[in-house]
Amino acid sequence: MIDELSKEFVVRPYETGDEEEIVQLLELVFDGWPHFNLGCDPLDHWRWKFQDNPLKMNIIVVGICNNKIIGCNHDLHLRIKIGEDILHCQQGTDLAVHPDFRRIGIHREM
């Protein structure tokens, strides 16, 4: 069990180089990720989904404790046509908080 003092965390935007730790966290929290047989490794899938998406836009935030990623939140941008209007929208996907760090407000801060 992790003591309360070691649960101090900060939230910051994704930075290049965070990818491997984010994927490791997703695999832990979701007991495997992405749960599809894609013919590529999870890191390549993450890059495709969040960096090479059609709009080339995303919002990714991470929670950090003791220099480790213990939370992540991904939002994708997309365009949706409603009637004659095309709206720029945002979809939340792949939110994860390490089991040892739940219920201390990481999700709320991200």
Side-chain angles (χ1 to χ4, degrees):
M1 186 73 173
I2 296 173
D3 66 59
E4 292 304 312
L5 290 177
S6 66
K7 288 189 175 183
E8 292 183 18
F9 66 92
V10 296
V11 171
R12 65 161 171 78
Y14 155 82
E15 296 174 357
T16 301
D18 289 340
E19 303 88 354
E20 287 186 32
E21 258 190 274
I22 290 172
V23 170
Q24 289 171 0
L25 177 65
L26 292 170
E27 289 176 324
L28 170 75
V29 168
F30 294 115
D31 193 24
W33 182 89
H35 289 287
F36 297 106
N37 185 8
L38 301 172
C40 66
D41 70 23
L43 184 57
D44 287 337
H45 175 70
W46 186 93
R47 287 183 176 128
W48 168 82
K49 185 174 183 177
F50 296 111
Q51 293 178 324
D52 298 333
N53 60 68
L55 294 183
K56 305 288 188 229
M57 297 174 70
N58 61 47
I59 298 173
I60 303 170
V61 200
V62 295
I64 306 287
C65 181
N66 297 326
N67 297 315
K68 292 285 187 188
I69 294 177
I70 48 99
C72 60
N73 190 11
H74 302 80
D75 289 346
L76 290 175
H77 292 258
L78 55 138
R79 292 186 183 114
I80 297 176
K81 184 171 183 178
I82 299 176
E84 296 300 315
D85 296 326
I86 297 177
L87 305 174
H88 183 113
C89 300
Q90 190 174 323
Q91 175 185 6
T93 62
D94 298 325
L95 166 72
V97 175
H98 191 285
D100 292 341
F101 292 87
R102 292 182 181 158
R103 301 190 141 316
I104 62 170
I106 295 169
H107 172 227
R108 182 180 61 242
E109 290 296 318
M110 290 190 301

